[in-house]
Structures are given as C-alpha cells and as structure tokens.
Amino acid sequence: MNWNYLILVLAATVLGGVIPMTVRRISANFTIYLLAFTGAFLFGVTIMHLLPEVYHDLGHQAGIYIVLGFFLQVFLQQLSHGMEHGHSHIPTETHHHHIAVVPLLLGLSIHAFMEGIPLGFKYEDQSALPSLMLGVAAHKVPEALTLMTVMIHAHKSRKQLWQILVIFALVTPLAAVLAGWLGNRFEVVSHYLIYLVALVIGAFLHISTTIFYESGTKHHELSRKKVLAIAIGLVLAFITLIFE
C-alpha cells in the first residue's frame, strides 16, 4: 500500500470540496469540462488497466460482475441523485424542495467506498495502481465539488460543511486500506477481491459514460469543447500505458 497515493486521493477530495466553499460563483462550463476530462481519464484507465486484469483472472465470468456493478451504480444513483457524475439539480430541487441529505450522503458514501476497493488490490500490471489512483483522484475533484455545492444550498453551517467534507474525503482511502489489509491477512478475501474490482469496473463504466452524454449538457449533445476535454482525458489515460 502506497500511502502517498492515498494522500493524493484525500487531498484531491478536499480540494474539490473547498472550491465551492471559497469561490462564490463557479462557472457552469468549468464543472462540465472538468467532469468530461476526469470522466474520460477514469474511463480510459478502467478499460486499459482494470479490464485486462479481471478478464485474466475471471475469464468470461468477469462480464457478469461488470454488468452487475453497472446496475448496482444505477441503484446507488437513486440515493445520490447522480451526484457522482455531476447531477446536482440545484436549480429545481434545492429551491423548491427539502434536500434528503441522509440518503444522498449514504448513496455517495457507498460509491466512494467502492472506489477505494480497487486501490487495495494487487495488480500484475505495475502501472495499474498508480494509473487508477490518478483516475480516482481526478474524479474526486468534481465529485466533492458537486457534493459541497449541494450542501451549501441545503444551508449547512460552516462547521457541518467541513465535517461532511472530511468524513467523505476519508471514505475512499479507508476502503483502500481495509481492502489491502484484509487481502494480505486472509487468503479468502484476497481471492474474492477481484470480483469486487469487477463490480467497481461496472460502476466506473456507468459513471464515465453518463458524464460523456448527460452531465451539464442540453439534449445530451457533445459540444466541441466537451469533446476536446474528453479527448485530453483519454490521451492522458493512453500515456499511462508507457509505464507498464
């Protein structure tokens, strides 16, 4: 377990959460392009590093768990309202309705915990873990930004905002530490971790593809700037193959 990687994920989450707490007005385009870039990078890392690992270990069974993970994320977004891929719904829900904070935080925390599990797995591809750490860290910035924006519009106090942010920031690193520790200590856990990684791959694929076609756009169109942000993210993901 490389603690520097986990500190990077923690710092990225805190950074994303601090932005709406310190910047009064955030451009909608900034969030759209940031999501597109980080979603594309995570998508590329998932396809190029994680998929080969799970298919090598599980064969055709991998597809079953990936599909299950995809639809598990569909269920989780019913709790989180799609916040993990940039859906904040602030113009409508927060203005006219009370925000159901508990289920929202529950769904997002389960997702964050799932993100940490692959970070505690030992990969044959030496570049898989650092690449995945970068992908998760990049994704954490807009994820935390959206979460704290919604919490601000839910009229949470400054103290409550920091409490929510710190707890949320710790979930993914703690999941990675727990997965790594249990995997090293118990052989049965080490054996089944690969199945959990396959589930998380499905969740990553759902989130990233949803970002491509929905987040921040009208009529699900892909603007030139958004395509450029996606292209940059994918190119950087390809560059991680150099370190194999």
Side-chain angles (χ1 to χ4, degrees):
M1 179 65 63
N2 190 316
W3 291 95
N4 291 330
Y5 292 156
L6 298 184
I7 292 172
L8 174 63
V9 172
L10 179 66
T13 310
V14 173
L15 172 64
V18 166
I19 292 174
M21 295 170 62
T22 55
V23 180
R24 289 188 177 183
R25 186 172 297 178
I26 302 173
S27 169
N29 286 336
F30 171 77
T31 305
I32 292 171
Y33 302 138
L34 180 62
L35 275 165
F37 165 73
T38 59
F41 184 67
L42 184 61
F43 176 82
V45 168
T46 299
I47 295 295
M48 288 181 275
H49 292 284
L50 299 192
L51 270 181
E53 290 276 346
V54 297
Y55 272 100
H56 177 268
D57 289 350
L58 300 179
H60 294 297
Q61 276 190 317
I64 298 173
Y65 292 94
I66 291 170
V67 172
L68 288 175
F70 186 96
F71 286 100
L72 174 60
Q73 183 57 42
V74 171
F75 167 75
L76 289 177
Q77 77 171 19
Q78 303 308 308
L79 297 175
S80 65
H81 301 286
M83 193 174 298
E84 54 273 64
H85 48 72
H87 286 191
S88 59
H89 305 289
I90 287 173
T92 56
E93 291 183 314
T94 60
H95 185 72
H96 298 289
H97 304 286
H98 172 70
I99 298 175
V101 172
V102 173
L104 186 153
L105 290 175
L106 176 62
L108 202 58
S109 295
I110 293 173
H111 166 70
F113 189 87
M114 289 174 61
E115 286 178 320
I117 292 173
L119 302 181
F121 185 74
K122 292 184 178 179
Y123 300 92
E124 292 186 16
D125 172 9
Q126 297 300 312
S127 65
L129 184 57
S131 300
L132 179 60
M133 286 286 184
L134 288 174
V136 171
H139 173 59
K140 282 294 182 183
V141 176
E143 188 178 64
L145 189 156
T146 306
L147 170 63
M148 298 314 296
T149 300
V150 172
M151 291 299 103
I152 290 170
H153 282 261
H155 307 295
K156 296 297 179 183
S157 67
R158 193 78 173 177
K159 180 180 179 181
Q160 288 175 317
L161 290 175
W162 275 108
Q163 288 174 339
I164 292 170
L165 177 58
V166 170
I167 293 173
F168 178 69
L170 288 171
V171 172
T172 298
L174 286 177
V177 171
L178 183 63
W181 182 79
L182 290 175
N184 290 330
R185 192 175 181 86
F186 302 102
E187 187 176 345
V188 64
V189 175
S190 178
H191 174 73
Y192 283 106
L193 268 179
I194 190 64
Y195 293 92
L196 295 178
V197 172
L199 287 174
V200 176
I201 287 174
F204 283 166
L205 292 178
H206 179 277
I207 291 166
S208 57
T209 51
T210 301
I211 288 172
F212 293 165
Y213 296 108
E214 290 188 13
S215 298
T217 60
K218 296 179 180 179
H219 310 299
H220 298 182
E221 83 277 9
L222 287 171
S223 66
R224 290 183 180 179
K225 290 182 179 179
K226 189 172 180 181
V227 169
L228 178 61
I230 291 172
I232 294 172
L234 289 175
V235 168
L236 289 179
F238 274 111
I239 291 175
T240 63
L241 293 174
I242 296 174
F243 303 104
E244 285 188 355

